[in-house]
Amino acid sequence: MVMAKTKYEAVRQQRLEENKKRMEELHLPLLTQALKDASSPKPSPMKKTKPRTARTELVPVRRSLRFSNKSAPEYKEITVYDRVQIPRRTTHRTRDFSNRVYASDQARDVAMKKAEGIEASLGSDHPSFVRSMLPSHVSGGFWLGLYTDFCRWRLPRSDSVVQLVDEQGEEWPVVYLSRKTGLSGGWKKFAVDHSLVDGDALVFQLIKPTVFKVFITRVDGECGDKVGGE
C-alpha cells in the first residue's frame, strides 16, 4: 500500500514538471503577465462638463387641425360674484279655527235651492253648474274642484288661466289645472274678496271658452253652527 502511494506521487511530480516545461515553451507566463497589465488601465482624468442653464421659450400650443386656420380665441378677465341668497323665514303659524262657522244642512240646502233657481233662469244658451262651498274651498287649502265631466267637455285640456266675472262685472284671473280639474292659484283671492263662507252656493256659467260668470247665493247666517256647538 505504501509502495503504491509512493509510485503515484512520483508519477504526479513527473507530470507537473512536464506541464511546466510546455507552458514555458508556449510563453504562457509572459502572456499571463501581459493580460494582468492590460486589465488594469491607468485612470484617465474626469472630463469637465459645462453646467446647464435654464431658459424659457414661447412655443405655439398644439391645436386641432380643424382650427389650425382660425385665429386663436381671445380671453379677458371677468369678475364672478357669488349668488347671495336671502334665507327664508320659516314660521310655523297655528291657524285659529275657533271662530270658524260651519253651515248647517238646512242652511246649505236653502242656499243650493236659491242657486239652482238662478241657474234655471239663465237659460240653456251657455253651460253652467252649481257648486256648494266647503271649508276647504273658502278657508282651508283654497282649492276648488270642479265636475270632471264638465271640465272634460267644456274646458281646455291643458293648464290655463280662466277669468271669473262676478255680478258687478269685475274679473279675477284664476289658474285652471286640467289634470286635477280644479281652480288653484287666484281662487283664494276671489274667495276672500267676496267673503265666501261654508255653505254659500255659487253658479258658474261658462260664457266664453275660458270665462265664467259667477253668481253667489249667501248662506243664512242665523242657521250657521259655530265650532264647539254653541
Side-chain angles (χ1 to χ4, degrees), residues 58-113:
L58 296 177
V59 296
V61 180
R62 185 176 181 181
R63 304 179 65 193
S64 173
L65 295 177
R66 293 179 299 171
F67 303 100
S68 59
N69 297 327
K70 298 182 180 180
S71 59
E74 296 181 0
Y75 299 94
K76 63 179 181 179
E77 294 183 357
I78 61 173
T79 304
V80 180
Y81 298 94
D82 293 334
R83 183 179 179 183
V84 179
Q85 295 182 351
I86 301 175
R88 295 183 178 180
R89 296 181 179 179
T90 56
T91 56
H92 301 281
R93 296 181 180 178
T94 303
R95 294 182 178 178
D96 184 11
F97 296 134
S98 60
N99 294 323
R100 176 183 285 182
V101 177
Y102 291 94
S104 64
D105 293 340
Q106 180 183 356
R108 189 180 299 276
D109 291 340
V110 171
M112 279 292 294
K113 289 180 181 179

Side-chain angles (χ1 to χ4, degrees), residues 11 40 54 63 82 89 97-99 108 111 124 126 145 149 157 223-224 230:
V11 175
S40 58
R63 304 179 65 193
D82 293 334
R89 296 181 179 179
F97 296 134
S98 60
N99 294 323
R108 189 180 299 276
S124 59
H126 301 287
D149 291 340
R157 295 186 178 182
C223 297
E230 293 183 3

